[in-house]
Amino acid sequence: MGSVLVVCYCLNPAVVTSLVSVVSFIVPEQFGPLSFFSSLLCQTGWTVCLSGRGARGIPFICEGLGLKMSQRCTLSVTDPRDGKRVALKKMPNVFQNLVSCKRVFRELKMLCFFKHDNVLSALDILQPPQIDCFEEIYVITELMQSDLHKVIVSPQPLSTDHIKVFLYQILRGLKYLHSAGILHRDIKPGNLLVNSNCVLKICDFGLARVEEMDESRHMTQEVVTQYYRAPEILMGSRHYSSAIDIWSVGCIFAELLGRRILFQAQSPIQQLDLITDLLGTPPLSAMMSACEGARAHVLRGPHKPPSLSVLYMLSEGATHEAVHLLCRMLVFDPAKRISGRDALSHPYLDEGRLRYHTCMCRCCFSVASGRVYTREFEPNANGRFDDQYERNLSSVWQVKELIHRFITEQQQGKRVPLCINPQSAAFKTFIR
Ligand SMILES: [Zn+2]
């Protein structure tokens, strides 16, 4: 066995702090000297360098300074088992309190549950150290070059074809999540990863949860980045459904068309005001679940007529078909808002579906006589995500043991495990 030490450093000395995080992969002998590890550049501008000895004793030189890995930092690394570039995501400070470890456990379980091309899933989880030293979790996922936020703010032109194929994939991924009974609860452009082929994957399940069927049970309102937050959450509704994710998609659709945030407010109240400016004052029936104060705020103001025609001015791509679908997503009353499944059958998305399944998907394939299409263009999940295990979680130590066992079980017999090893010889050489 040889070990390799990965150190993160940044080229900007202004942000250099002390080394706090070192990742060391243990690599089995048969993979030989790890020369492809010489220098890697990751997404966020961090450079990853290596130190240590490869399997056949070839030393690696470590350059640069140690740097604090940001919260939930994702690094681009090379998997030493097959040489493929993958993303390594660090989940730090997992075991600070019961709430944070339950949330991380849920996210881990979801990442291992997902099997859909438009939803990010875990390719692997690095083997945890002994439970006494177990503080951080590292997940390996597919590497995606960018996200929709970066695309929208970039100068790169976005054609109608781009918008259609992005929107199709967002809804295709959401339909899958909703069919598993999962609400994402933080759909925003930054959580929609894209690669250079325009394949899109929904990521970040830190706020995701299983849909609550019992309307008497309260759900937290501390969800969804404000600009993409559905009116029922802004109005303090104690119970909400998958319709909150569709509202966020509507906001993103408008943002793709107009290249600017649709409802960019300074506060939740102003957020609600901007929404009613566009949609008009909602009828009382659309505010049934709202809290008293929010309802009073809306009714106190002047009666506003809807001004949806301004959506045609978002861009040239805001055709009648586009605005029609957009207006079905941006419906104030969640009960009347279009579902992901119904949105996918809107004619606006026909071209996106065709493009995706002609040259981007992994569910269809080409033969000499043409393309063989899958039977189900937008598949549901194989059953609902089961969160019953959460009912019996009562202490940090208990969840820690369960997560430890879960990760170990995930790996059994599948692939040669990779692990974090801060006590490795490479680490000691480095700190000397
Ligand atoms: Zn396909």
Side-chain angles (χ1 to χ4, degrees), residues 24-172:
S24 157
F25 292 128
I26 301 286
V27 186
E29 182 78 29
Q30 65 266 34
F31 294 99
L34 302 166
S35 52
F36 52 81
F37 256 143
S38 57
S39 166
L40 308 168
L41 202 66
C42 87
Q43 267 174 302
T44 49
W46 305 78
T47 301
V48 178
C49 280
L50 298 126
S51 169
R53 285 179 187 280
R56 293 177 198 154
I58 295 177
F60 291 91
I61 310 298
C62 178
E63 312 159 31
L65 297 155
L67 232 216
K68 184 176 177 177
M69 264 173 140
S70 66
Q71 290 277 320
R72 292 188 166 261
C73 178
T74 299
L75 296 168
S76 154
V77 296
T78 303
D79 189 326
R81 296 167 297 191
D82 54 15
K84 282 193 183 142
R85 294 286 294 273
V86 289
L88 178 68
K89 177 182 169 167
K90 177 186 172 187
M91 296 169 141
N93 310 322
V94 179
F95 306 109
Q96 281 181 334
N97 55 55
L98 188 58
V99 173
S100 76
C101 36
K102 279 166 92 167
R103 192 167 50 217
V104 168
F105 194 17
R106 184 191 287 169
E107 187 174 357
L108 271 186
K109 282 208 170 227
M110 284 182 180
L111 285 170
C112 294
F113 171 86
F114 298 143
K115 284 176 182 54
H116 189 279
D117 281 341
N118 302 119
V119 177
L120 195 73
S121 55
L123 298 175
D124 205 350
I125 306 173
L126 298 201
Q127 207 174 47
Q130 280 189 336
I131 195 154
D132 297 328
C133 315
F134 184 35
E135 296 301 333
E136 293 160 343
I137 297 170
Y138 293 84
V139 182
I140 291 182
T141 66
E142 268 181 81
L143 183 64
M144 306 289 282
Q145 283 91 2
S146 192
D147 63 57
L148 220 46
H149 171 71
K150 289 183 194 145
V151 171
I152 289 170
V153 300
S154 77
Q156 182 194 321
L158 271 183
S159 66
T160 298
D161 285 344
H162 280 114
I163 296 174
K164 286 179 172 176
V165 87
F166 284 143
L167 186 65
Y168 173 71
Q169 293 177 87
I170 301 169
L171 289 166
R172 189 171 181 265

Side-chain angles (χ1 to χ4, degrees), residues 172 353 356-358 360-365 371-374 376-377:
R172 189 171 181 265
R353 174 182 299 105
Y356 181 74
H357 290 284
T358 302
M360 296 165 69
C361 74
R362 292 199 290 190
C363 53
C364 311
F365 55 94
R371 188 81 171 159
V372 180
Y373 289 103
T374 176
E376 183 57 81
F377 286 120

Side-chain angles (χ1 to χ4, degrees), residues 107-308:
E107 187 174 357
L108 271 186
K109 282 208 170 227
M110 284 182 180
L111 285 170
C112 294
F113 171 86
F114 298 143
K115 284 176 182 54
H116 189 279
D117 281 341
N118 302 119
V119 177
L120 195 73
S121 55
L123 298 175
D124 205 350
I125 306 173
L126 298 201
Q127 207 174 47
Q130 280 189 336
I131 195 154
D132 297 328
C133 315
F134 184 35
E135 296 301 333
E136 293 160 343
I137 297 170
Y138 293 84
V139 182
I140 291 182
T141 66
E142 268 181 81
L143 183 64
M144 306 289 282
Q145 283 91 2
S146 192
D147 63 57
L148 220 46
H149 171 71
K150 289 183 194 145
V151 171
I152 289 170
V153 300
S154 77
Q156 182 194 321
L158 271 183
S159 66
T160 298
D161 285 344
H162 280 114
I163 296 174
K164 286 179 172 176
V165 87
F166 284 143
L167 186 65
Y168 173 71
Q169 293 177 87
I170 301 169
L171 289 166
R172 189 171 181 265
L174 261 191
K175 183 193 174 212
Y176 172 86
L177 290 177
H178 292 170
S179 73
I182 292 172
L183 314 185
H184 184 281
R185 304 202 298 180
D186 198 16
I187 296 286
K188 60 179 177 181
N191 283 344
L192 303 170
L193 304 179
V194 290
N195 69 16
S196 48
N197 307 328
C198 295
V199 168
L200 177 149
K201 289 178 194 287
I202 300 171
C203 78
D204 200 341
F205 298 89
L207 290 173
R209 63 157 288 162
V210 167
E211 190 162 15
E212 177 60 68
M213 293 306 179
D214 181 351
E215 291 194 12
S216 66
R217 294 181 74 134
H218 291 177
M219 296 163 79
T220 177
Q221 284 146 31
E222 299 301 309
V223 290
V224 193
T225 305
Q226 187 190 291
Y227 303 150
Y228 307 94
R229 203 175 293 166
E232 60 271 28
I233 304 176
L234 290 165
M235 295 197 73
S237 178
R238 297 288 178 85
H239 188 272
Y240 46 83
S241 68
S242 56
I244 63 160
D245 290 336
I246 298 296
W247 177 273
S248 308
V249 178
C251 297
I252 294 166
F253 183 16
E255 193 171 327
L256 283 167
L257 290 167
R259 299 294 282 261
R260 63 177 190 84
I261 295 166
L262 179 64
F263 302 119
Q264 192 167 15
Q266 304 296 318
S267 69
I269 290 179
Q270 196 195 357
Q271 189 76 27
L272 188 60
D273 291 342
L274 290 183
I275 291 171
T276 52
D277 285 349
L278 181 72
L279 303 185
T281 304
L284 261 181
S285 61
M287 298 188 282
M288 297 301 276
S289 62
C291 75
E292 199 48 54
R295 195 160 38 211
H297 172 79
V298 171
L299 296 175
R300 200 166 42 232
H303 184 83
K304 299 177 190 171
S307 57
L308 290 161

